[in-house]
Amino acid sequence: MRLFLASYRFGGFADRLVGLVGAPGRVAVIPNACDAWPDAWSSAVMSDVKPLEQQGYSPEVLDLREYAGQPERLERHLRTFPMVWVRGGNTFVLRAQFARSGADSVFTTMLREDALVYAGYSAGACLLGPDLHGLETMDDPAEVLPTTGIEPLWDGLGLVDRRLVVHLDSPTDPDGDSAAMLARCVAEQIPHWALTDNDVVLVDGDRTEVLRG
């Protein structure tokens, strides 16, 4: 299993992502964490496509809404990519879209097969933890039902064994919501990784590193 889990985009370690993939190539960009914000969706997509292109990747948007109820079709398409890029937004909305499309089970299978690299940041990284509890400090679960038609889910994909607390000391978090989530994890002795926007959790097979920028 190869995972590149960041607080914000590449963090300070774009080179380590290349090391996981082998060389920049095609990448499926999954922007569904932004589905609750239709007016900003296209600009959010472009804000990730451009940096990926600048790093030498060939990004192609993969909208999970087009695969609702079609996990086999989704898996066939994903198997044509060496890497996926799952951007930030609302983690609860992203979790719901993974469930509706079957991406939760598809990715679990493919990642355990080491069939592709999963690169995700913010919501795209938090999704892989054991659960989403605490993230309501930062993301609004109430956006899920009107956006996706299903109730919020509180389980993560469980591909890493601890929660990710992202955007510590970041200008993207002016109210200090990440610090509040971190304080809760510490107080309740919940295993976690606390990441600034320069930091990355990198999983390569049986080796896990926390890269501090």
Side-chain angles (χ1 to χ4, degrees), residues 27 51 121 130 135 138 180:
V27 53
Y121 75 88
L135 284 165
M138 306 175 70

Side-chain angles (χ1 to χ4, degrees), residues 189-210:
Q189 298 184 324
I190 297 167
H192 63 277
W193 287 302
L195 305 180
T196 72
D197 284 350
N198 290 321
D199 301 336
V200 171
V201 174
L202 188 144
V203 177
D204 188 1
D206 58 1
R207 186 175 77 252
T208 298
E209 297 178 71
V210 181

Side-chain angles (χ1 to χ4, degrees), residues 6-8 165-169 194-200 212-213:
S7 175
Y8 187 69
V165 182
V166 297
H167 302 311
L168 282 173
D169 302 319
L195 305 180
T196 72
D197 284 350
N198 290 321
D199 301 336
V200 171
R212 300 293 183 187

Side-chain angles (χ1 to χ4, degrees), residues 23-187:
R26 292 176 68 230
V27 53
V29 176
I30 297 179
N32 296 98
C34 297
D35 286 351
W37 317 319
D39 292 343
W41 200 89
S42 294
S43 60
V45 170
M46 291 310 299
S47 73
D48 275 33
V49 164
K50 291 300 183 185
L52 284 163
E53 289 176 340
Q54 289 167 0
Q55 293 289 332
Y57 296 93
S58 299
E60 301 175 32
V61 175
L62 193 160
D63 185 347
L64 293 177
R65 292 174 294 187
E66 298 176 1
Y67 295 86
Q70 302 178 70
E72 296 86 0
R73 177 171 164 254
L74 174 63
E75 181 173 347
R76 286 196 301 271
H77 192 190
L78 283 171
R79 286 190 181 276
T80 69
F81 291 93
M83 172 180 144
V84 295
W85 177 269
V86 187
R87 66 153 289 135
N90 186 317
T91 312
F92 296 99
V93 170
L94 182 63
R95 177 68 185 91
Q97 300 295 36
F98 265 57
R100 293 179 67 240
S101 63
D104 44 9
S105 59
V106 169
F107 273 117
T108 298
T109 297
M110 292 183 65
L111 289 169
R112 287 178 173 158
E113 289 177 5
D114 196 27
L116 80 176
V117 172
Y118 182 105
Y121 75 88
S122 193
C126 295
L127 181 71
L128 269 59
D131 62 77
L132 307 187
H133 292 286
L135 284 165
E136 69 273 16
T137 304
M138 306 175 70
D139 298 337
D140 187 359
E143 291 184 331
V144 174
L145 183 58
T147 301
T148 69
I150 66 173
E151 296 288 344
L153 301 170
W154 291 84
D155 61 319
L157 300 194
L159 291 168
V160 294
D161 64 358
R162 60 194 68 197
R163 294 181 187 172
L164 288 94
V165 182
V166 297
H167 302 311
L168 282 173
D169 302 319
S170 169
T172 66
D173 181 26
D175 297 326
D177 293 335
S178 58
M181 182 178 173
L182 175 59
R184 176 177 170 182
C185 288
V186 172

Side-chain angles (χ1 to χ4, degrees), residues 4-18:
F4 183 93
L5 307 178
S7 175
Y8 187 69
R9 292 194 179 142
F10 304 98
F13 298 95
D15 58 325
R16 296 297 301 272
L17 178 56
V18 175

